[in-house]
């Protein structure tokens, strides 16, 4: 099977369970934004100098795959999806991110003067973390745009996860830039 199916040549894309949507559909925008976030984490994963970043990023990337599966599920098919894919974004993942926020803050990731200017420290991994952070914020906004519509995402933990992830990414950028000492 080729990656070039040509099924999207008319401006539509496949979702799960046989659903097709216009590539301009808000749900497709949300799914694409999360995909962009996952891709933006790739360079951070490769360039990370700190052990904490090397530990967090691959786990988050796997969680984002789970999240994309939920976003690709058409409304009304959530139970069907859950039968085959019990791994979902849940309170436990948000709490895991909360724990990292606390650890990074306690380790000194907030010790900097003035405004954080992405790239100013000259540390590529910090700049990559900032790039991933803004991709995360865009994904969060796209998911929020679905709320109150017929495409609303019933799993509210997804919004909480993306919000908290952007906090972690901001802290990782500062951590990679050398704020804080040693390992946590």
């Amino acid at each position: 099977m080729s990656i070039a199916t040509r099924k999207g040549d008319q401006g539509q894309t496949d979702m799960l369970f046989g659903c097709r949507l216009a590539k301009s559909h808000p749900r497709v925008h949300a799914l694409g934004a999360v995909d962009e976030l996952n891709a933006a984490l790739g360079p951070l994963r490769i360039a990370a100098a700190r052990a904490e970043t090397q530990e967090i990023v691959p786990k988050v990337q796997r969680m984002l795959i789970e999240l994309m599966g939920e976003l690709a599920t058409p409304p009304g098919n959530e139970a069907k999806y859950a039968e085959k894919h019990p791994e979902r974004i849940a309170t436990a993942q948000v709490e895991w991110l909360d724990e990292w926020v606390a650890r990074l803050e306690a380790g000194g990731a907030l010790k900097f003067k003035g405004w954080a200017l992405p790239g100013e420290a000259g540390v590529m991994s910090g700049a990559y973390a900032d790039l991933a952070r803004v991709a995360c914020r865009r994904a969060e906004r796209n998911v929020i745009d679905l709320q109150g519509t017929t495409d609303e995402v019933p799993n509210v933990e997804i919004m909480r996860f993306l919000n908290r992830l952007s906090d972690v990414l901001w802290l990782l950028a500062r951590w990679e830039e050398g704020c804080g000492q040693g390992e946590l």
Side-chain angles (χ1 to χ4, degrees):
M1 180 173 159
S2 173
I3 190 71
T5 63
R6 295 172 179 76
K7 290 171 40 178
D9 290 352
Q10 301 303 311
Q12 290 192 326
T13 191
D14 285 329
M15 302 298 271
L16 295 178
F17 306 108
C19 178
R20 288 187 59 76
L21 291 176
K23 290 182 179 183
S24 60
H25 191 281
R27 186 173 281 266
V28 176
H29 280 280
L31 183 59
V34 174
D35 191 24
E36 288 175 24
L37 166 58
N38 209 348
L41 287 168
L44 175 58
R45 183 177 180 174
I46 292 167
R50 305 293 288 265
E52 295 78 13
T53 307
Q54 294 168 0
E55 179 181 343
I56 294 169
V57 172
K59 290 179 183 176
V60 166
Q61 286 181 302
R62 285 188 287 280
M63 291 178 197
L64 290 174
I65 297 294
E66 296 168 12
L67 194 156
M68 287 191 296
E70 289 189 65
L71 290 177
T73 301
N77 289 281
E78 294 84 8
K80 194 175 180 182
Y81 179 79
E83 287 176 22
K84 294 184 179 185
H85 305 278
E87 305 85 18
R88 300 183 56 203
I89 298 299
T91 303
Q93 284 86 352
V94 176
E95 289 172 350
W96 178 75
L97 291 172
D98 279 330
E99 290 168 13
W100 274 108
V101 166
R103 287 175 68 183
L104 290 163
E105 287 179 346
L110 285 177
K111 293 180 182 172
F112 67 95
K113 295 181 192 251
W115 289 94
L117 185 60
E120 183 177 39
V123 178
M124 189 64 76
S125 56
Y128 285 143
D130 276 317
L131 188 60
R133 174 184 52 83
V134 297
C136 186
R137 287 288 190 207
R138 181 176 48 251
E140 179 186 13
R141 289 189 303 271
N142 279 295
V143 170
I144 289 169
D145 283 346
L146 298 174
Q147 300 312 104
T149 72
T150 57
D151 278 291
E152 185 168 333
V153 179
N155 183 356
V156 296
E157 296 302 324
I158 288 175
M159 287 186 298
R160 292 182 64 224
F161 177 83
L162 292 170
N163 185 25
R164 209 70 79 250
L165 177 57
S166 67
D167 295 335
V168 168
L169 291 168
W170 189 91
L171 289 166
L172 284 177
R174 308 297 73 80
W175 190 251
E176 286 288 323
E177 291 171 348
C179 295
Q181 302 299 317
E183 291 190 18
L184 302 176

